[in-house]
């Protein structure tokens, strides 16, 4: 239908062009129009853009303006809490109690902590980063099958955050794969799928242990979060972020300030810094963390379930002009069909009424992933 319209509207000018310049020029002109359209509708990945030989400045679509009144970024990261995961199963009850208390404090005061002694082999973590990098190094043709179409597609290779909605583009390409309750994975590069499956299982165990501890820190049963939010069929999304070197890093943003949608997010990276978290209203750099540790942040559904006791932390990723940064993020949430509301035990009609309206996790996810991402505005939509 569209083609018919184009032919009808273009028919006469095309004929005129053909009469004036001949067949050869006419074919050339059509080819030019075709290529221009193809380039325009193709996804503009930043990896490819950053590899252009003469790139000295960024295209204006990547110009991101930060708030000029924002206070300077602090490096006071020494105080970022550290949780020793092995103590959660210590035979000594006083050590268990202590680490649960520390976990609760970390969620309340920071919404962010690093986890050590978690039992996931460092080799596996390194392989995950390495294989993820190999994915981005596949040819455009090999990656094409995975280009995103819909926000709940199990495998999505894309750029920015939501390239259909974003007014300013993020200096970031990504791969997002749903790995639980059903496991998916791209079939390339070789070995990626096996590594991803193992990593998904091992990280789910860490998340389960942490959420059990967090449950107790809220004064709930150890398995309250696990059972109420049906973690056995919980959603787990494996995300790789690729931030190539950017010629004007101060003008661009890797990922703008946002909070994550699930319960807890685990992050590792290739040793290049860029993550910043908001703590007491100020941005803090997260650079030097223990090698082999997980960086963990609280997400929106923990804020909802805890009735606001543990807030989801706002964070962002900045870029640099020297090295490519890769982060591998595992987002862990309730099962998609769970209607999430504040835990009954934490709500008191008079003294502590529910701060959030109930919403199905699937609907929340579609709302967050289908829009531009702006701070905590998505969570604000379900706030009472
Ligand atoms: C994310 C995220 C931060 C980073 O993927 O949600 O916040 O450092 N990533 O890549
Ligand atoms: Ni995030």
């Amino acid at each position: 239908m569209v083609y018919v319209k184009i032919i009808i509207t273009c028919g006469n000018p095309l004929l005129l062009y053909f009469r004036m310049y001949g067949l050869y020029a006419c074919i050339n002109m059509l080819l030019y129009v075709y290529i221009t359209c193809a380039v325009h509708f193709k996804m503009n990945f930043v990896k490819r853009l950053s590899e252009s030989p003469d790139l000295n400045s960024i295209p204006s679509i990547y110009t991101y303006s930060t708030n000029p009144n924002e206070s300077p970024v602090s490096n006071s990261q020494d105080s970022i809490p550290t949780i020793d995961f092995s103590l959660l199963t210590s035979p000594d009850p006083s050590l268990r109690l202590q680490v649960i208390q520390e976990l609760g404090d970390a969620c309340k005061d920071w919404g962010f902590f690093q986890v050590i002694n978690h039992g996931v082999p460092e080799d596996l973590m390194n392989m995950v980063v390495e294989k993820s990098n190999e994915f981005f190094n596949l040819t455009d043709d090999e990656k094409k099958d995975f280009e995103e179409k819909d926000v709940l597609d199990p495998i999505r290779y894309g750029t920015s955050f939501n390239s259909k909605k974003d007014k300013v583009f993020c200096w970031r390409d990504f791969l997002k794969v749903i790995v639980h309750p059903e496991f998916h994975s791209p079939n390339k590069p070789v070995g990626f799928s096996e590594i991803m499956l193992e990593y998904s299982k091992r990280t789910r165990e860490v998340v389960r242990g942490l959420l059990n501890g967090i449950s107790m820190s809220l004064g709930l049963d150890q398995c309250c979060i696990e059972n109420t939010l049906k973690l056995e069929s919980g959603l787990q999304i494996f995300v790789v972020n690729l931030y190539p070197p950017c010629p004007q890093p101060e003008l661009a943003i890797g990922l703008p300030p946002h909070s994550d949608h699930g319960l807890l997010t685990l992050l590792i990276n290739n040793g290049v810094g860029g993550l910043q978290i908001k703590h007491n209203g100020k941005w803090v750099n997260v650079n030097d963390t223990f090698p082999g540790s997980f960086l963990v942040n609280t997400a929106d559904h923990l804020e909802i379930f805890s009735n606001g006791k543990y807030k989801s932390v706002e964070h962002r990723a900045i870029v640099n002009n020297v090295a490519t940064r890769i982060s591998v993020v595992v987002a862990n949430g309730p099962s998609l069909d769970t209607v999430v509301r504040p835990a009954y035990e934490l709500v008191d009609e008079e003294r502590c009424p529910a701060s959030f309206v109930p919403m199905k996790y699937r609907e929340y996810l579609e709302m967050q992933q289908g829009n531009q991402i702006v701070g905590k505005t998505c969570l604000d939509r379900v706030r009472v």
Side-chain angles (χ1 to χ4, degrees), residues 172 239 241 243 255 258 260 267 275 315 317 325 327 329:
R172 165 226 196 198
V239 184
N241 299 301
Y243 308 99
L255 260 180
H258 68 280
D260 297 340
L267 181 145
L275 174 64
H315 54 286
R325 172 161 186 262
S327 65
V329 168

Side-chain angles (χ1 to χ4, degrees), residues 82-221:
T82 300
I83 300 296
D84 184 339
F85 187 82
S86 65
L87 296 181
L88 283 165
T89 48
S90 161
D92 181 342
S94 69
L95 285 179
R96 283 203 308 269
L97 259 177
Q98 190 186 328
V99 72
I100 288 166
Q101 172 85 40
E102 285 168 6
L103 198 49
D105 289 347
C107 290
K108 187 152 56 62
D109 302 338
W110 284 81
F112 188 82
F113 48 92
Q114 57 180 328
V115 175
I116 57 167
N117 297 331
H118 43 66
V120 181
E122 213 171 320
D123 278 358
L124 177 63
M125 297 166 87
N126 293 337
M127 279 294 275
V128 165
V129 175
E130 205 172 293
K131 283 285 164 198
S132 301
N133 189 26
E134 273 180 38
F135 173 84
F136 287 101
N137 286 337
L138 295 173
T139 64
D140 289 349
D141 249 13
E142 286 174 305
K143 283 179 287 191
K144 192 148 192 50
D145 291 346
F146 311 117
E147 280 185 20
E148 68 165 342
K149 284 135 214 121
D150 192 77
V151 294
L152 276 181
D153 279 349
I155 303 181
R156 292 190 281 150
Y157 164 53
T159 192
S160 190
F161 178 74
N162 183 341
S163 57
K164 290 199 186 99
K165 294 273 169 78
D166 296 336
K167 298 211 169 66
V168 174
F169 269 44
C170 312
W171 195 265
R172 165 226 196 198
D173 294 337
F174 66 81
L175 170 70
K176 295 189 185 185
V177 183
I178 296 184
V179 287
H180 195 262
E182 235 177 72
F183 179 76
H184 300 268
S185 154
N187 53 1
K188 292 169 255 203
V190 175
F192 195 22
S193 173
E194 290 77 3
I195 295 282
M196 213 189 259
L197 180 63
E198 181 63 13
Y199 191 65
S200 147
K201 280 188 199 152
R202 303 294 297 253
T203 48
R204 255 194 336 274
E205 277 309 300
V206 175
V207 169
R208 187 166 158 262
L210 291 173
L211 286 174
N212 286 351
I214 289 175
S215 246
M216 286 193 278
S217 78
L218 287 165
L220 304 170
D221 274 353

Side-chain angles (χ1 to χ4, degrees), residues 238-258:
F238 177 97
V239 184
V240 189
N241 299 301
L242 183 91
Y243 308 99
C246 173
Q248 293 175 297
E250 63 298 338
L251 296 184
I253 191 86
L255 260 180
H258 68 280

Side-chain angles (χ1 to χ4, degrees), residues 268-296:
I268 57 175
N269 61 44
N270 64 341
V272 178
L275 174 64
Q276 297 182 334
I277 54 167
K278 207 172 213 179
H279 179 58
N280 294 336
K282 287 197 182 128
W283 289 107
V284 178
N285 277 319
V286 182
N287 287 336
D288 304 316
T289 43
F290 289 115
S293 67
F294 283 115
L295 301 177
V296 181

Side-chain angles (χ1 to χ4, degrees), residues 29-70:
M29 194 269 284
L30 284 175
L31 213 60
Y32 173 77
V33 170
Y34 171 79
I35 290 171
T36 314
C37 287
V39 167
H40 188 74
F41 291 117
K42 216 166 162 182
M43 238 187 252
N44 291 311
F45 291 95
V46 276
K47 181 172 189 296
R48 197 182 308 130
L49 178 63
S50 74
E51 284 163 0
S52 4
D54 306 317
L55 190 77
N56 301 316
S57 61
I58 56 172
S60 57
I61 185 114
Y62 294 98
T63 311
Y64 176 83
S65 49
T66 39
N67 178 358
N69 301 325
E70 202 171 273

